[in-house]
Amino acid sequence: MKKILILGGGTGGTIMANKLRKVLERDEWEITLVDKHKTHYYQPGFLFIPFGIYNKYDVIKPKSDFFPPGINIIYTLIDRIDGDNNKVILEDGKVLNYDFLIISTGTQIRPDETPGLNEELWYKSIFDFYTVEGAVALREFFKSWEGGHLVLNIAELPFKCPVAPLEFVFLADAYFHEIGIRDKVEISYVTPLPGAFTKPRATKMLGELLNEKNIKVIPEFYLERVDNKNKKIISYDEQEIPFDVLTIVPVNMGSDVIERSGLGDDLNFVPTDKYTLRSEKYENIFVLGDASNIPTSKSGSVVHFSSDVLFENLMSAIEGRPLMAKFDGHSNCYIETGFGKGSIIDFNYDTEPLPGTFPLPGIGPFGLLKNTKMNHYGKVLFRWMYWHIRLKDKRLPIESEMSMAGKKL
Amino acid sequence: MATKNIAGISVDVNEEGYMTDPSQWTEAIAKELAKEEDIELTDEHLKVAKYLREEHEKGAVLTIRKVGKSGLVDIKGLYKLFPGGPLKKSSKIAGIPKPTSCV
């Protein structure tokens, strides 16, 4: 019996298990998936929890609902990967051998990497919205908050879902309008980037939208520490920004398993060929999604698009053929902008987000880099698509490879 | 693409003044480029520049955090050496492309 081992049963690991079990003969290939948690989180939904749009139960389901029959599932912690000997050692010492390994262990927030971040003000005046716990704690805080300075800060790059902090401040603006205290709330968007986003056209469009909504952008701020006593964030070059409530995107790092296995870079992300998605170190290890160091967004859309490429290349590797499929870095993000509107960006390694229509050229229904109601409906519907189509690897009407059709240069 | 005469040598630069061919770099050029940024080049600056060049050659993605972990200088020290935009300024002086964030 030959063995495929998948580490991590989030979006990536679940999609791969579904893809592989469909085509690999059960009497020939054993598929095993290891994860430490039994709950699958719909992570794009976390963003809505602080504003009372979703609650905790809208974003959680058991992982087992999405795994195909005919695979082994082990819920446990992983000690380390021994790539030289094709084996993985679990926390209890049990050894799993593999012919091929898929690493999809994701990225985690690490507030402990920033001095003062998770100390006395943590979940009192400082919150993250990348965990269900953080999002729920922030919801409770906002219920009785009467206003002041709301600071959103990104601690380090890269981080999961690069548009989420923008969506957060847009939704905050709308929320405080709705509850009638927007005039008592000052909102600042503090980023290590030179502007609202990384690429020129999206930065311009989003920068203007922030300005329109009276959200102040403070660029080039690289967080060193948090002063709990005086409620200030302080950068390496000693800029200080006082806050009443701080929503933080903490340092993102890959799993500790990657570090223990000596497979990661300085942030525990696995060096991965950005086209083939194979580990740079081992020919029988592939890396999917946030766990890799490929230079594109850490997002569900990237996982989805790149899973097609990884699948093709893994099948080639199994059959001893050269890896022909190439990932183009395709990413696609809905951006909630508040008041029932949204925007969409679509881009890859070489093409920055451009204006136009999506997915059908000239028709849409979605408008790229535009702020429309239809784009917002897309995001609302997406939660259903995620649970019912994406995880189970049914077809979505969007190609893996980015298309220039419908985009305007 | 343009060329610019720096320290008596004609080098290729882009519209923002970043060198496009790292092989044309010399320490004399670094000194001139540093002057343009109001930095008096010291051995400390040069050590960082050389480290960045080595890492760039290896194809590494350069970040402030990575330089901070290099053992040459910590992040605070890096900001003191290259005030304002440590990675951008040090990359310019090191004759390598402007660091970009990929997202």
Side-chain angles (χ1 to χ4, degrees):
Chain A
M1 198 74 147
K2 285 176 283 188
K3 292 180 164 83
I4 290 183
L5 182 55
I6 302 171
L7 303 183
T11 310
T14 305
I15 290 176
M16 287 319 296
N18 280 299
K19 276 185 188 297
L20 292 167
R21 192 65 291 173
K22 267 185 223 165
V23 297
L24 294 175
E25 297 292 340
R26 288 195 193 190
D27 52 6
E28 216 177 307
W29 285 94
E30 185 181 270
I31 300 173
T32 303
L33 187 149
V34 184
D35 197 295
K36 59 184 167 181
H37 296 305
K38 289 188 174 172
T39 303
H40 192 109
Y41 294 100
Y42 174 61
Q43 297 179 63
F46 290 177
L47 178 69
F48 296 105
I49 292 176
F51 309 107
I53 303 167
Y54 285 175
N55 68 38
K56 189 175 159 178
Y57 302 100
D58 290 321
V59 298
I60 56 177
K61 285 183 192 287
K63 279 201 166 96
S64 54
D65 284 7
F66 305 98
F67 295 141
I71 70 167
N72 307 317
I73 316 282
I74 304 173
Y75 293 106
T76 182
L77 288 164
I78 301 157
D79 178 30
R80 67 197 145 87
I81 300 159
D82 179 357
D84 289 335
N85 297 301
N86 302 321
K87 62 186 184 186
V88 167
I89 298 104
L90 303 179
E91 193 193 26
D92 61 6
K94 194 179 166 198
V95 175
L96 301 175
N97 296 300
Y98 62 82
D99 294 283
F100 289 94
L101 180 70
I102 298 170
I103 299 176
S104 47
T105 43
T107 173
Q108 280 93 43
I109 59 160
R110 295 291 295 268
D112 53 310
E113 287 284 312
T114 303
L117 191 54
N118 60 347
E119 291 174 13
E120 58 261 42
L121 295 181
W122 187 243
Y123 286 6
K124 290 189 183 75
S125 303
I126 302 176
F127 303 88
D128 75 278
F129 54 93
Y130 278 80
T131 59
V132 78
E133 294 80 12
V136 168
L138 186 53
R139 172 73 202 130
E140 289 308 310
F141 176 86
F142 277 158
K143 276 181 184 170
S144 58
W145 194 46
E146 289 171 356
H149 191 196
L150 167 63
V151 173
L152 179 294
N153 176 229
I154 298 159
E156 177 64 287
L157 307 171
F159 61 93
K160 193 193 311 237
C161 191
V163 297
L166 287 162
E167 296 183 278
F168 180 86
V169 290
F170 289 140
L171 289 174
D173 166 67
Y175 174 77
F176 293 120
H177 265 289
E178 275 155 29
I179 65 168
I181 62 164
R182 182 61 179 92
D183 59 336
K184 296 190 181 68
V185 179
E186 185 191 349
I187 305 177
S188 298
Y189 187 84
V190 184
T191 169
L193 291 169
F197 198 63
T198 51
K199 302 290 165 75
R201 286 184 228 214
T203 298
K204 185 169 178 289
M205 183 267 179
L206 294 162
E208 284 167 4
L209 204 52
L210 288 163
N211 191 29
E212 208 176 282
K213 291 173 187 288
N214 196 21
I215 297 165
K216 189 175 168 196
V217 178
I218 302 174
E220 314 252 9
F221 182 98
Y222 192 35
L223 178 66
E224 185 198 6
R225 65 186 194 275
V226 179
D227 177 345
N228 281 256
K229 197 165 149 251
N230 299 304
K231 288 186 129 179
K232 279 179 189 166
I233 50 173
I234 299 162
S235 70
Y236 282 104
D237 54 350
E238 300 295 333
Q239 299 178 62
E240 298 187 354
I241 299 171
F243 61 85
D244 293 300
V245 55
L246 172 67
T247 48
I248 184 84
V249 180
V251 173
N252 271 234
M253 289 177 78
S255 168
D256 287 337
V257 174
I258 304 301
E259 186 174 27
R260 285 196 291 272
S261 309
L263 276 172
D265 63 13
D266 53 343
L267 288 166
N268 300 348
F269 297 124
V270 185
T272 303
D273 184 298
K274 70 177 186 176
Y275 298 118
T276 64
L277 307 174
R278 181 152 72 178
S279 144
E280 285 179 0
K281 201 165 168 190
Y282 296 103
E283 289 206 334
N284 59 343
I285 298 182
F286 288 82
V287 191
L288 183 57
D290 299 352
S292 82
N293 76 336
I294 61 171
T296 186
S297 298
K298 296 199 177 295
S299 78
S301 67
V302 166
V303 172
H304 176 80
F305 299 134
S306 61
S307 68
D308 288 341
V309 172
L310 194 154
F311 172 74
E312 247 186 273
N313 282 337
L314 176 57
M315 295 310 285
S316 297
I318 285 174
E319 291 161 17
R321 292 183 279 117
L323 311 187
M324 299 300 279
K326 276 190 168 181
F327 184 51
D328 66 350
H330 187 192
S331 181
N332 178 287
C333 316
Y334 287 99
I335 308 172
E336 277 291 293
T337 56
F339 300 101
K341 288 189 178 179
S343 189
I344 295 191
I345 54 174
D346 193 61
F347 56 103
N348 69 13
Y349 290 143
D350 305 316
T351 308
E352 64 163 309
L354 295 171
T357 52
F358 182 83
L360 301 175
I363 298 170
F366 303 123
L368 295 168
L369 275 185
K370 292 189 182 70
N371 193 26
T372 70
K373 284 198 158 52
M374 183 54 87
N375 290 339
H376 164 72
Y377 296 136
K379 178 122 188 173
V380 174
L381 282 174
F382 184 72
R383 182 167 61 123
W384 186 90
M385 301 217 305
Y386 181 86
W387 291 126
H388 295 91
I389 299 179
R390 179 180 277 178
L391 287 178
K392 301 211 167 163
D393 189 43
K394 294 178 184 156
R395 297 306 305 172
L396 274 173
I398 302 171
E399 294 302 316
S400 297
E401 201 170 321
M402 195 200 77
S403 164
M404 279 306 286
K407 291 191 173 65
K408 290 181 207 131
L409 274 169
Chain B
M1 195 78 76
T3 56
K4 188 176 165 186
N5 192 299
I6 309 171
I9 304 160
S10 177
V11 297
D12 301 324
V13 294
N14 73 3
E15 61 280 5
E16 290 182 292
Y18 285 81
M19 288 174 63
T20 52
D21 180 359
S23 72
Q24 296 174 331
W25 184 86
T26 64
E27 289 188 18
I29 289 174
K31 201 169 177 181
E32 286 302 309
L33 288 170
K35 251 186 218 159
E36 289 177 17
E37 302 292 333
D38 292 322
I39 291 168
E40 184 69 40
L41 199 75
T42 65
D43 285 349
E44 290 294 301
H45 293 97
L46 265 178
K47 267 189 216 159
V48 173
K50 285 179 180 166
Y51 168 77
L52 290 177
R53 291 176 58 79
E54 280 165 23
E55 291 299 311
H56 173 72
E57 189 147 330
K58 283 189 225 158
V61 177
L62 297 169
T63 60
I64 291 177
R65 169 181 281 265
K66 190 176 171 77
V67 181
K69 283 188 176 178
S70 66
L72 291 172
V73 61
D74 62 12
I75 298 176
K76 252 192 146 67
L78 188 65
Y79 269 90
K80 292 224 169 81
L81 286 174
F82 304 93
L87 195 60
K88 274 182 269 182
K89 287 189 180 172
S90 56
S91 295
K92 194 171 192 176
I93 292 165
I96 60 172
K98 185 178 176 178
T100 53
S101 174
C102 19
V103 166

